[in-house]
Amino acid sequence: MGKAANQRTTKVVILLVLLVAAYVLFYMTGTFTKQNYPRVTNGNMNLSEWNFETNGSVLLNGEWEFYWNQLLEPRSFYTDEARLVKDYIHVPGSWNGHGDRLRSGSELPGVGYATYRLKLLLPYETQTFAMRIPTVFTAYTLYANGEKISSAGVVAPSAEQIRPQFLPQLVVLHTHSSEIELVLQVANFDHQKGGLRYPIEFGQFQDISRSMELSVGFDTLLIGSLLIMGLYHLGLFAVRKKEAAMLFFGLFCLLISLRISLLGEILLTKLIPDFSWVLEMNLEYLTATLSMPLFVLFFACLYPEESSRKVSYGFGIVTVMYSVIMAVLPTILFTKILVVMQLIIVAGVTYILLIVGRAYIRKKEGAGILLLACGIFAATIINDMLYAHELVQTTDKMSAFGLLVFIFCQSVLLSIKLSKAYATEEKLSAELTVMNSGLYAKIKERTIDLEHVNEALKRKNDELSRLERSRSHLLSNISHDLGTPLTTIQCYLEAILDGLVDHEEQRDRYLRLIHAKVIGMDRLIEDLFQLSQLEARQVTFKKQTVSTDRLMDLLFTRYELDARNAGIDYTLEILPPAVEGERYSSVLVDVERLHQMYSNLIFNAIKFTPEGGSIRVEMSDDGKRMLCRIIDTGLGIPSEDLPFVFDRFYTSNKSRNTVTGGKGLGLSISKEIVESHGGRIWVERTQLQVGTVLCFTIPVEETLDS
């Protein structure tokens, strides 16, 4: 049953392809080969009897006046008429090979410059007409009744002055007489062929505009279809790496979509007006050359038994070598060897037809549709090549229609293939769903409940762990650091009570020492409780939004006097924002807590920096975080102590604690405050007797408006 359905689908697709191909061939050849158009004769075209409303627009085909190696302005035909050397040339068509009958009699080369002239006799004196100017090889300037109305590139009589450009345009003509004189200057020093190779369309504005819109629409449709197919096939390859055919076809579609944007209406230059003409030409021909080996490899992967791996890869190597040669040559040279590219394409098309033909004979799936599509595509490619050599008078857009037919067939085959895979998968999935639906629902429900319970237990466990660590640290620290001062106080008091202190002055001295010890113990206990609360995350922060430069100024200013009194050079450098033209970012912080943190760092630097030294504070803002560096020229920290500088009761040596009176809690408190703000604190570098660089960061909340 399935096989019969596939055969019916194949027959329907083949019928549709034949109908589309027949319509395309009829339309394209019929449109461009109508014999009832008026034609240009001896530089004149009589349109006085032509009904533009009924019959539509006309193509300005025929014998135009031709002035070789002369760039004439409209007034030249009246002031210098006696000196002009007039000839006639057929348009459309390049001037290559045209016999210069009035001079040497030899055939004209592709390189050179010339002036075309045409007189139109119209049925109305006042009427709005339009012209559709195609690609002109390779620069032109157009005048109508002495007025410049259109141009592309820069026309000049030498290769040094000319600037080539391909730019199809729609030109509006407001006539006030029944005659229009068209003067067209053309120059070419960059391409094998020069002149008017494509027809100029003339008619009412609405007809010309509609014709151009249809052309742009078709190019857009084709580019969009190729992009969608290319990305879709690349997506299939990304999911299933074994399908190499998907990779090659996807890349082929993307390359051809780029090529289509450089042909016809040249949509790429409409999108990028200053696009390089040399790059445009290179891309136009390189995409044609490089797409062919991808197309060959696509069919070789699709039908590996019907193809030869050596031939496929050999074909790829030849085309890549030719592409490299073409890329390094100037345009005037590589356009002369385009026949090699066309021979490569013909060879590739022939090889593909052989592969698909063998697959069809062996009754491989989809081979019949692909053979028909490839045959149509090959015929349209051959037509475009013949048109490029001016051997047929059809159109150069046939291959675009052939490609559209091929993409349609490929999408149908892909749909059939995927529908089979989906049908099989759906059948298996339905069976598994029926078997596992009940069990899956129960497992999912229990899993969700367990996840919620586990998350709640984890949060509680983290809180209890922090509280327990804080409690144990507090008890340990109290017993650790209160024993010595209490013993000292006890000894002093016993000495006083036992009468060992018999002088009033000595008694006062002992009492002052006891008072100082009590104050130190009070400060120590306060620091320990504060550190324990910070570690247990039980401190409430009163945060506010402030810019990074303002925050740094607040922190720095409060300690200027302390540094000055210590005889230390204390400076601040706020670096500009990382992004030029942007303001400083803002941070959400508790300013007083940061003052507490900053004071610990600064007072540490002051304590261990000798008089005459310096402390430089540097702040930078990269839009993601605020970074502060405190750079002192102090004693430095021994390398063996670096891992412990932020631990409780850390001192780099015993004498340091004794001399300065510190208990080693300041850096621990500072670390907790910074981390509570989502930041980080660390020692960037240190060297004994040279100094230390200590850094901390605060994450940025947002960027202030300019």
Side-chain angles (χ1 to χ4, degrees):
M1 188 69 180
K3 187 174 181 180
N6 289 336
Q7 291 177 349
R8 286 195 300 270
T9 302
T10 302
K11 291 179 181 179
V12 170
V13 172
I14 292 174
L15 180 60
L16 288 174
V17 170
L18 289 173
L19 290 174
V20 171
Y23 174 76
V24 168
L25 292 173
F26 172 79
Y27 174 78
M28 296 298 293
T29 55
T31 299
F32 291 96
T33 58
K34 289 182 178 179
Q35 300 300 322
N36 58 345
Y37 279 140
R39 296 187 64 80
V40 180
T41 304
N42 295 330
N44 295 279
M45 190 174 194
N46 188 356
L47 298 176
S48 59
E49 303 298 328
W50 185 262
N51 190 329
F52 285 94
E53 294 183 358
T54 303
N55 300 323
S57 59
V58 298
L59 300 177
L60 304 183
N61 294 348
E63 294 181 341
W64 288 48
E65 290 183 16
F66 184 67
Y67 301 86
W68 176 244
N69 276 350
Q70 301 175 78
L71 295 179
L72 304 175
E73 295 186 357
R75 65 174 181 270
S76 302
F77 292 98
Y78 303 99
T79 59
D80 302 328
E81 185 175 4
R83 292 184 296 171
L84 300 181
V85 181
K86 181 168 62 175
D87 194 1
Y88 295 99
I89 191 170
H90 185 271
V91 174
S94 63
W95 62 48
N96 296 57
H98 176 69
D100 189 3
R101 296 189 299 271
L102 300 180
R103 294 190 177 182
S104 63
S106 60
E107 294 184 348
L108 299 181
V111 173
Y113 53 93
T115 301
Y116 293 76
R117 185 181 183 219
L118 170 65
K119 290 183 179 180
L120 296 175
L121 185 62
L122 305 176
Y124 320 104
E125 290 188 358
T126 302
Q127 178 71 28
T128 299
F129 288 98
M131 296 175 62
R132 183 179 175 188
I133 312 297
T135 299
V136 178
F137 288 70
T138 56
Y140 78 90
T141 301
L142 176 63
Y143 299 88
N145 289 339
E147 180 182 354
K148 180 180 176 180
I149 60 172
S150 177
S151 66
V154 176
V155 177
S158 66
E160 292 76 18
Q161 297 173 308
I162 190 175
R163 182 172 68 84
Q165 185 182 23
F166 285 167
L167 183 63
Q169 298 183 70
L170 175 66
V171 180
V172 180
L173 297 171
H174 300 284
T175 62
H176 300 287
S177 66
S178 59
E179 184 176 302
I180 296 179
E181 180 190 48
L182 299 177
V183 176
L184 180 65
Q185 299 175 348
V186 181
N188 171 52
F189 290 92
D190 299 276
H191 198 278
Q192 175 198 6
K193 293 189 176 182
L196 292 174
R197 298 183 60 191
Y198 305 111
I200 298 176
E201 190 175 0
F202 179 86
Q204 292 182 324
F205 175 77
Q206 58 269 24
D207 294 332
I208 302 297
S209 176
R210 181 171 59 252
S211 175
M212 196 164 189
E213 287 173 358
L214 287 173
S215 181
V216 171
F218 176 74
D219 287 353
T220 306
L221 170 66
L222 192 57
I223 292 171
S225 302
L226 286 165
L227 284 175
I228 292 172
M229 288 295 288
L231 295 175
Y232 182 65
H233 280 77
L234 289 179
L236 291 176
F237 174 74
V239 174
R240 186 173 173 80
K241 296 293 193 298
K242 294 182 179 180
E243 297 289 345
M246 301 297 178
L247 172 64
F248 294 129
F249 189 73
L251 294 176
F252 168 78
C253 289
L254 294 182
L255 273 181
I256 295 298
S257 68
L258 177 59
R259 175 173 169 76
I260 297 299
S261 69
L262 298 166
L263 299 175
E265 299 302 326
I266 315 182
L267 298 182
L268 185 61
T269 58
K270 295 182 185 297
L271 181 65
I272 310 174
D274 297 328
F275 195 79
S276 168
W277 182 85
V278 175
L279 180 59
E280 176 187 341
M281 294 299 298
N282 276 280
L283 288 177
E284 177 184 342
Y285 294 115
L286 284 175
T287 50
T289 308
L290 293 175
S291 61
M292 185 50 62
L294 293 174
F295 207 39
V296 168
L297 290 172
F298 164 68
F299 282 98
C301 292
L302 205 60
Y303 301 112
E305 297 177 358
E306 287 71 32
S307 60
S308 168
R309 178 175 295 184
K310 292 182 179 179
V311 174
S312 301
Y313 285 105
F315 184 82
I317 292 172
V318 170
T319 52
V320 170
M321 291 174 59
Y322 175 75
S323 299
V324 172
I325 294 173
M326 202 164 57
V328 299
L329 289 177
T331 55
I332 189 64
L333 294 180
F334 79 67
T335 53
K336 291 182 179 180
I337 59 170
L338 291 180
V339 65
V340 178
M341 179 191 75
Q342 293 167 348
L343 291 174
I344 291 174
I345 293 175
V346 170
V349 169
T350 304
Y351 180 53
I352 289 171
L353 289 175
L354 288 174
I355 292 174
V356 182
R358 288 179 182 175
Y360 177 72
I361 293 173
R362 297 174 183 177
K363 298 182 179 181
K364 293 294 181 71
E365 183 180 7
I369 297 177
L370 281 181
L371 181 60
L372 179 61
C374 288
I376 295 173
F377 191 22
T380 57
I381 291 174
I382 298 300
N383 170 83
D384 285 3
M385 289 183 181
L386 295 175
Y387 184 87
H389 288 283
E390 303 178 37
L391 298 176
V392 296
Q393 296 296 321
T394 53
T395 176
D396 64 338
K397 292 187 176 181
M398 280 285 200
S399 60
F401 284 94
L403 180 60
L404 195 60
V405 170
F406 181 84
I407 290 174
F408 170 73
C409 294
Q410 172 64 10
S411 63
V412 170
L413 289 176
L414 183 63
S415 300
I416 294 173
K417 183 177 180 180
L418 293 179
S419 65
K420 289 182 178 180
Y422 289 151
T424 304
E425 183 182 354
E426 287 173 356
K427 182 179 179 181
L428 294 174
S429 179
E431 294 175 356
L432 290 173
T433 301
V434 172
M435 296 173 59
N436 299 329
S437 58
L439 180 61
Y440 176 76
K442 291 180 180 179
I443 293 174
K444 185 177 181 181
E445 181 180 352
R446 297 300 183 190
T447 302
I448 292 173
D449 292 340
L450 289 173
E451 287 177 350
H452 290 164
V453 172
N454 184 54
E455 289 176 0
L457 288 173
K458 186 177 180 181
R459 287 195 298 270
K460 292 295 182 182
N461 184 57
D462 290 342
E463 292 176 4
L464 290 173
S465 297
R466 283 198 301 271
L467 289 173
E468 176 59 25
R469 284 196 302 271
S470 176
R471 183 190 65 81
S472 62
H473 285 165
L474 180 60
L475 292 176
S476 174
N477 296 150
I478 289 175
S479 62
H480 174 275
D481 216 53
L482 292 185
T484 301
L486 284 175
T487 302
T488 303
I489 291 172
Q490 181 181 356
C491 292
Y492 287 158
L493 289 175
E494 288 176 355
I496 294 172
L497 292 175
D498 293 340
L500 298 177
V501 180
D502 50 0
H503 296 288
E504 187 68 25
E505 181 181 349
Q506 190 178 12
R507 184 184 298 109
D508 290 340
R509 179 170 170 270
Y510 273 41
L511 289 175
R512 282 193 298 272
L513 290 173
I514 291 170
H515 181 261
K517 291 292 183 181
V518 170
I519 291 174
M521 290 172 61
D522 180 71
R523 187 184 302 113
L524 175 62
I525 292 171
E526 181 181 352
D527 288 345
L528 286 172
F529 273 108
Q530 186 178 40
L531 181 58
S532 297
Q533 287 180 320
L534 286 169
E535 289 179 339
R537 300 293 187 267
Q538 292 182 333
V539 176
T540 302
F541 287 85
K542 298 178 181 179
K543 293 185 178 182
Q544 58 183 344
T545 299
V546 61
S547 66
T548 55
D549 58 332
R550 174 61 179 163
L551 174 62
M552 199 63 245
D553 186 68
L554 290 173
L555 295 176
F556 176 85
T557 305
R558 184 177 291 189
Y559 307 98
E560 283 184 298
L561 185 59
D562 298 281
R564 191 182 306 119
N565 291 338
I568 295 172
D569 182 24
Y570 181 55
T571 59
L572 171 65
E573 180 182 4
I574 298 180
L575 301 178
V579 180
E580 186 176 354
E582 295 288 336
R583 293 286 186 88
Y584 289 98
S585 306
S586 64
V587 289
L588 187 63
V589 295
D590 186 331
V591 177
E592 289 305 316
R593 291 289 182 184
L594 288 185
H595 269 301
Q596 181 184 0
M597 175 275 300
Y598 185 80
S599 68
N600 288 332
L601 305 183
I602 288 299
F603 282 129
N604 264 359
I606 291 173
K607 287 176 185 178
F608 302 111
T609 300
E611 185 176 352
S614 67
I615 298 175
R616 182 164 62 90
V617 181
E618 178 185 294
M619 190 279 286
S620 63
D621 180 352
D622 63 358
K624 296 181 180 179
R625 62 176 187 171
M626 164 190 166
L627 170 63
C628 177
R629 287 188 174 89
I630 300 174
I631 307 165
D632 66 54
T633 58
L635 302 178
I637 303 172
S639 58
E640 62 270 16
D641 292 332
L642 276 179
F644 315 105
V645 292
F646 295 103
D647 291 352
R648 295 163 175 259
F649 301 105
Y650 159 77
T651 56
S652 61
N653 55 62
K654 300 299 182 182
S655 61
R656 180 172 177 168
N657 185 32
T658 303
V659 172
T660 61
K663 297 299 182 181
L665 293 177
L667 290 180
S668 298
I669 293 174
S670 297
K671 178 175 181 290
E672 292 296 331
I673 292 174
V674 170
E675 290 181 350
S676 296
H677 282 81
R680 188 168 72 93
I681 186 169
W682 71 97
V683 176
E684 185 173 272
R685 66 177 182 272
T686 183
Q687 186 175 349
L688 294 178
Q689 305 305 321
V690 174
T692 301
V693 179
L694 198 146
C695 305
F696 69 87
T697 61
I698 302 293
V700 166
E701 178 71 10
E702 61 181 334
T703 301
L704 297 178
D705 294 332
S706 299

